[in-house]
Amino acid sequence: MSLPLSLQRYISDLGLAIPVPLDMSFVESLQATHIARYSFNSLAVVMGEDISLNLEDISQKIVKRGLGGYCFEHNKLTFELLKALGYDVKLVMARVLKNQEQEVPRTHRFTLLNHEGRQYLVDTGFGGDCPITPLLLQPDVLQKSGNDVYRIVAKPEGEYDLQILKQGDYYTMYRFDLAVYTDADCLAGNFYSHRYPMAGFVNNLMVGLKDASRTIFLMNHELMERQQGNLKKQVLSSPNDLYQVLTNTFGLDIEWVIAEHLFDRFLANNLALLNKEDQSEAVL
């Protein structure tokens, strides 16, 4: 089978071979390996770069340059590979709820895969809460993926909620339906996500990697690592701390001056607030 260079680069970099015949084992390996290798992050967004949804541009950025990205990039790459290989896939758009009933646009994309009469959610772009294996589209069934447990809840009007178990309770990640969506819908969601002044990606530095044993996620000044049920948190208190985490922990090839710039924009104010809170508690 002849694949475009962008997809050849992708499947080769992950160390995977074209499956014959098509099976779910390949999809499972693709999803888990992708999420463990390519970071989910908002770096390009907070640096004011344009986020291209051209497949070759995405492959260059994520695979060749190792810069990671967010859902519209990660899941496009995964979707196009599965489609090119002959899998029955469908683009799905979702509303990110963050465990709240709120009116928000559809700013997340993932893949719905139909294989041997069953439908699966395949998502390679939802950060620290992203499942590392496909989830069966079957409501009210607990599904373990790595160290996390998920369930899908059927809602009125043909919608579904994807939830993850956190601290003994279920947290709603996003809501979706099975309507027909196209790349045009992704263009609108992508523009909102990286250009709208109040969008979460515009206002927060986020970087994450995840595999079967560990989830590590940076949100502004706080680095969180979850492993075997244990959660460790570390406050990054200097530009050098941030640079070391971005380059060594997440493997991003960035210059020190970029880390310094990001520290001043996204960490310094939070650290100042933390110091004020500590001083207030000390006085009390």
PDB file of all heavy atoms in Angstrom, residues 128-149:
ATOM      1  N   GLY A 128      -4.036  15.121  29.429  1.00  0.00           N
ATOM      2  CA  GLY A 128      -3.839  14.175  30.511  1.00  0.00           C
ATOM      3  C   GLY A 128      -4.988  13.228  30.758  1.00  0.00           C
ATOM      4  O   GLY A 128      -4.796  12.148  31.327  1.00  0.00           O
ATOM      5  N   ASP A 129      -6.193  13.599  30.352  1.00  0.00           N
ATOM      6  CA  ASP A 129      -7.356  12.733  30.555  1.00  0.00           C
ATOM      7  C   ASP A 129      -7.658  11.846  29.347  1.00  0.00           C
ATOM      8  O   ASP A 129      -8.610  11.067  29.367  1.00  0.00           O
ATOM      9  CB  ASP A 129      -8.602  13.576  30.876  1.00  0.00           C
ATOM     10  CG  ASP A 129      -8.545  14.178  32.270  1.00  0.00           C
ATOM     11  OD1 ASP A 129      -7.799  13.658  33.109  1.00  0.00           O
ATOM     12  OD2 ASP A 129      -9.249  15.190  32.510  1.00  0.00           O
ATOM     13  N   CYS A 130      -6.864  11.946  28.302  1.00  0.00           N
ATOM     14  CA  CYS A 130      -7.139  11.221  27.074  1.00  0.00           C
ATOM     15  C   CYS A 130      -6.998   9.712  27.281  1.00  0.00           C
ATOM     16  O   CYS A 130      -6.001   9.249  27.847  1.00  0.00           O
ATOM     17  CB  CYS A 130      -6.170  11.673  25.986  1.00  0.00           C
ATOM     18  SG  CYS A 130      -6.619  11.134  24.328  1.00  0.00           S
ATOM     19  N   PRO A 131      -7.972   8.913  26.850  1.00  0.00           N
ATOM     20  CA  PRO A 131      -7.807   7.461  26.927  1.00  0.00           C
ATOM     21  C   PRO A 131      -6.697   7.010  25.994  1.00  0.00           C
ATOM     22  O   PRO A 131      -6.564   7.528  24.881  1.00  0.00           O
ATOM     23  CB  PRO A 131      -9.175   6.920  26.475  1.00  0.00           C
ATOM     24  CG  PRO A 131      -9.770   8.018  25.659  1.00  0.00           C
ATOM     25  CD  PRO A 131      -9.264   9.304  26.247  1.00  0.00           C
ATOM     26  N   ILE A 132      -5.890   6.050  26.435  1.00  0.00           N
ATOM     27  CA  ILE A 132      -4.765   5.616  25.607  1.00  0.00           C
ATOM     28  C   ILE A 132      -5.130   4.420  24.739  1.00  0.00           C
ATOM     29  O   ILE A 132      -4.281   3.933  23.972  1.00  0.00           O
ATOM     30  CB  ILE A 132      -3.525   5.294  26.466  1.00  0.00           C
ATOM     31  CG1 ILE A 132      -3.790   4.092  27.384  1.00  0.00           C
ATOM     32  CG2 ILE A 132      -3.093   6.507  27.268  1.00  0.00           C
ATOM     33  CD1 ILE A 132      -2.532   3.580  28.072  1.00  0.00           C
ATOM     34  N   THR A 133      -6.361   3.948  24.831  1.00  0.00           N
ATOM     35  CA  THR A 133      -6.852   2.872  23.976  1.00  0.00           C
ATOM     36  C   THR A 133      -8.246   3.236  23.477  1.00  0.00           C
ATOM     37  O   THR A 133      -8.928   4.066  24.080  1.00  0.00           O
ATOM     38  CB  THR A 133      -6.920   1.534  24.733  1.00  0.00           C
ATOM     39  OG1 THR A 133      -7.722   1.707  25.911  1.00  0.00           O
ATOM     40  CG2 THR A 133      -5.540   1.044  25.130  1.00  0.00           C
ATOM     41  N   PRO A 134      -8.699   2.619  22.374  1.00  0.00           N
ATOM     42  CA  PRO A 134     -10.058   2.896  21.892  1.00  0.00           C
ATOM     43  C   PRO A 134     -11.101   2.515  22.947  1.00  0.00           C
ATOM     44  O   PRO A 134     -10.923   1.558  23.707  1.00  0.00           O
ATOM     45  CB  PRO A 134     -10.173   1.986  20.653  1.00  0.00           C
ATOM     46  CG  PRO A 134      -8.768   1.745  20.227  1.00  0.00           C
ATOM     47  CD  PRO A 134      -7.959   1.695  21.485  1.00  0.00           C
ATOM     48  N   LEU A 135     -12.187   3.290  22.974  1.00  0.00           N
ATOM     49  CA  LEU A 135     -13.295   3.009  23.895  1.00  0.00           C
ATOM     50  C   LEU A 135     -14.513   2.580  23.085  1.00  0.00           C
ATOM     51  O   LEU A 135     -14.872   3.222  22.093  1.00  0.00           O
ATOM     52  CB  LEU A 135     -13.639   4.250  24.717  1.00  0.00           C
ATOM     53  CG  LEU A 135     -12.538   4.806  25.628  1.00  0.00           C
ATOM     54  CD1 LEU A 135     -13.024   6.065  26.341  1.00  0.00           C
ATOM     55  CD2 LEU A 135     -12.078   3.764  26.646  1.00  0.00           C
ATOM     56  N   LEU A 136     -15.135   1.511  23.503  1.00  0.00           N
ATOM     57  CA  LEU A 136     -16.326   1.014  22.839  1.00  0.00           C
ATOM     58  C   LEU A 136     -17.482   1.979  23.065  1.00  0.00           C
ATOM     59  O   LEU A 136     -17.727   2.417  24.200  1.00  0.00           O
ATOM     60  CB  LEU A 136     -16.689  -0.368  23.389  1.00  0.00           C
ATOM     61  CG  LEU A 136     -17.852  -1.114  22.732  1.00  0.00           C
ATOM     62  CD1 LEU A 136     -17.529  -1.443  21.278  1.00  0.00           C
ATOM     63  CD2 LEU A 136     -18.152  -2.394  23.520  1.00  0.00           C
ATOM     64  N   LEU A 137     -18.177   2.349  21.989  1.00  0.00           N
ATOM     65  CA  LEU A 137     -19.329   3.247  22.113  1.00  0.00           C
ATOM     66  C   LEU A 137     -20.512   2.441  22.621  1.00  0.00           C
ATOM     67  O   LEU A 137     -21.382   2.013  21.861  1.00  0.00           O
ATOM     68  CB  LEU A 137     -19.653   3.908  20.780  1.00  0.00           C
ATOM     69  CG  LEU A 137     -20.832   4.903  20.774  1.00  0.00           C
ATOM     70  CD1 LEU A 137     -20.657   5.972  21.837  1.00  0.00           C
ATOM     71  CD2 LEU A 137     -20.999   5.539  19.403  1.00  0.00           C
ATOM     72  N   GLN A 138     -20.512   2.229  23.919  1.00  0.00           N
ATOM     73  CA  GLN A 138     -21.575   1.479  24.580  1.00  0.00           C
ATOM     74  C   GLN A 138     -21.841   2.129  25.933  1.00  0.00           C
ATOM     75  O   GLN A 138     -20.976   2.105  26.813  1.00  0.00           O
ATOM     76  CB  GLN A 138     -21.186   0.014  24.764  1.00  0.00           C
ATOM     77  CG  GLN A 138     -22.288  -0.839  25.375  1.00  0.00           C
ATOM     78  CD  GLN A 138     -21.922  -2.314  25.392  1.00  0.00           C
ATOM     79  OE1 GLN A 138     -21.007  -2.757  24.688  1.00  0.00           O
ATOM     80  NE2 GLN A 138     -22.626  -3.086  26.195  1.00  0.00           N
ATOM     81  N   PRO A 139     -23.006   2.760  26.100  1.00  0.00           N
ATOM     82  CA  PRO A 139     -23.280   3.488  27.333  1.00  0.00           C
ATOM     83  C   PRO A 139     -23.260   2.610  28.583  1.00  0.00           C
ATOM     84  O   PRO A 139     -23.591   1.411  28.532  1.00  0.00           O
ATOM     85  CB  PRO A 139     -24.693   4.058  27.098  1.00  0.00           C
ATOM     86  CG  PRO A 139     -24.825   4.120  25.615  1.00  0.00           C
ATOM     87  CD  PRO A 139     -24.065   2.929  25.106  1.00  0.00           C
ATOM     88  N   ASP A 140     -22.848   3.244  29.693  1.00  0.00           N
ATOM     89  CA  ASP A 140     -22.935   2.670  31.044  1.00  0.00           C
ATOM     90  C   ASP A 140     -22.076   1.430  31.244  1.00  0.00           C
ATOM     91  O   ASP A 140     -22.360   0.609  32.120  1.00  0.00           O
ATOM     92  CB  ASP A 140     -24.392   2.360  31.397  1.00  0.00           C
ATOM     93  CG  ASP A 140     -25.286   3.585  31.273  1.00  0.00           C
ATOM     94  OD1 ASP A 140     -24.841   4.680  31.659  1.00  0.00           O
ATOM     95  OD2 ASP A 140     -26.412   3.448  30.761  1.00  0.00           O
ATOM     96  N   VAL A 141     -21.022   1.300  30.457  1.00  0.00           N
ATOM     97  CA  VAL A 141     -20.082   0.202  30.641  1.00  0.00           C
ATOM     98  C   VAL A 141     -18.755   0.798  31.107  1.00  0.00           C
ATOM     99  O   VAL A 141     -18.216   1.705  30.462  1.00  0.00           O
ATOM    100  CB  VAL A 141     -19.872  -0.586  29.336  1.00  0.00           C
ATOM    101  CG1 VAL A 141     -18.776  -1.635  29.509  1.00  0.00           C
ATOM    102  CG2 VAL A 141     -21.168  -1.244  28.896  1.00  0.00           C
ATOM    103  N   LEU A 142     -18.225   0.317  32.234  1.00  0.00           N
ATOM    104  CA  LEU A 142     -16.945   0.809  32.720  1.00  0.00           C
ATOM    105  C   LEU A 142     -15.833   0.230  31.851  1.00  0.00           C
ATOM    106  O   LEU A 142     -15.772  -0.984  31.631  1.00  0.00           O
ATOM    107  CB  LEU A 142     -16.737   0.414  34.182  1.00  0.00           C
ATOM    108  CG  LEU A 142     -17.800   0.894  35.172  1.00  0.00           C
ATOM    109  CD1 LEU A 142     -17.371   0.586  36.602  1.00  0.00           C
ATOM    110  CD2 LEU A 142     -18.058   2.386  35.014  1.00  0.00           C
ATOM    111  N   GLN A 143     -14.953   1.110  31.370  1.00  0.00           N
ATOM    112  CA  GLN A 143     -13.885   0.686  30.473  1.00  0.00           C
ATOM    113  C   GLN A 143     -12.543   1.186  30.996  1.00  0.00           C
ATOM    114  O   GLN A 143     -12.333   2.386  31.132  1.00  0.00           O
ATOM    115  CB  GLN A 143     -14.128   1.219  29.054  1.00  0.00           C
ATOM    116  CG  GLN A 143     -15.477   0.793  28.474  1.00  0.00           C
ATOM    117  CD  GLN A 143     -15.650   1.199  27.022  1.00  0.00           C
ATOM    118  OE1 GLN A 143     -14.831   0.865  26.161  1.00  0.00           O
ATOM    119  NE2 GLN A 143     -16.724   1.919  26.732  1.00  0.00           N
ATOM    120  N   LYS A 144     -11.652   0.248  31.270  1.00  0.00           N
ATOM    121  CA  LYS A 144     -10.331   0.605  31.779  1.00  0.00           C
ATOM    122  C   LYS A 144      -9.383   0.833  30.609  1.00  0.00           C
ATOM    123  O   LYS A 144      -9.329   0.025  29.683  1.00  0.00           O
ATOM    124  CB  LYS A 144      -9.795  -0.500  32.680  1.00  0.00           C
ATOM    125  CG  LYS A 144      -8.486  -0.132  33.385  1.00  0.00           C
ATOM    126  CD  LYS A 144      -8.123  -1.151  34.434  1.00  0.00           C
ATOM    127  CE  LYS A 144      -6.767  -0.852  35.075  1.00  0.00           C
ATOM    128  NZ  LYS A 144      -6.723   0.492  35.686  1.00  0.00           N
ATOM    129  N   SER A 145      -8.642   1.926  30.684  1.00  0.00           N
ATOM    130  CA  SER A 145      -7.659   2.261  29.661  1.00  0.00           C
ATOM    131  C   SER A 145      -6.413   2.755  30.379  1.00  0.00           C
ATOM    132  O   SER A 145      -6.401   3.848  30.942  1.00  0.00           O
ATOM    133  CB  SER A 145      -8.210   3.344  28.724  1.00  0.00           C
ATOM    134  OG  SER A 145      -7.258   3.713  27.759  1.00  0.00           O
ATOM    135  N   GLY A 146      -5.363   1.935  30.389  1.00  0.00           N
ATOM    136  CA  GLY A 146      -4.200   2.278  31.191  1.00  0.00           C
ATOM    137  C   GLY A 146      -4.574   2.287  32.659  1.00  0.00           C
ATOM    138  O   GLY A 146      -5.165   1.338  33.168  1.00  0.00           O
ATOM    139  N   ASN A 147      -4.260   3.387  33.334  1.00  0.00           N
ATOM    140  CA  ASN A 147      -4.601   3.519  34.753  1.00  0.00           C
ATOM    141  C   ASN A 147      -5.941   4.185  35.000  1.00  0.00           C
ATOM    142  O   ASN A 147      -6.335   4.394  36.145  1.00  0.00           O
ATOM    143  CB  ASN A 147      -3.512   4.327  35.479  1.00  0.00           C
ATOM    144  CG  ASN A 147      -2.222   3.548  35.631  1.00  0.00           C
ATOM    145  OD1 ASN A 147      -2.243   2.350  35.896  1.00  0.00           O
ATOM    146  ND2 ASN A 147      -1.097   4.213  35.457  1.00  0.00           N
ATOM    147  N   ASP A 148      -6.648   4.527  33.923  1.00  0.00           N
ATOM    148  CA  ASP A 148      -7.896   5.278  34.057  1.00  0.00           C
ATOM    149  C   ASP A 148      -9.105   4.430  33.713  1.00  0.00           C
ATOM    150  O   ASP A 148      -9.016   3.462  32.956  1.00  0.00           O
ATOM    151  CB  ASP A 148      -7.862   6.516  33.147  1.00  0.00           C
ATOM    152  CG  ASP A 148      -6.828   7.537  33.595  1.00  0.00           C
ATOM    153  OD1 ASP A 148      -6.773   7.820  34.800  1.00  0.00           O
ATOM    154  OD2 ASP A 148      -6.076   8.035  32.737  1.00  0.00           O
ATOM    155  N   VAL A 149     -10.244   4.841  34.279  1.00  0.00           N
ATOM    156  CA  VAL A 149     -11.517   4.173  34.012  1.00  0.00           C
ATOM    157  C   VAL A 149     -12.473   5.198  33.403  1.00  0.00           C
ATOM    158  O   VAL A 149     -12.611   6.325  33.910  1.00  0.00           O
ATOM    159  CB  VAL A 149     -12.132   3.586  35.302  1.00  0.00           C
ATOM    160  CG1 VAL A 149     -13.521   3.006  35.030  1.00  0.00           C
ATOM    161  CG2 VAL A 149     -11.210   2.509  35.876  1.00  0.00           C
TER     162      VAL A 149
END
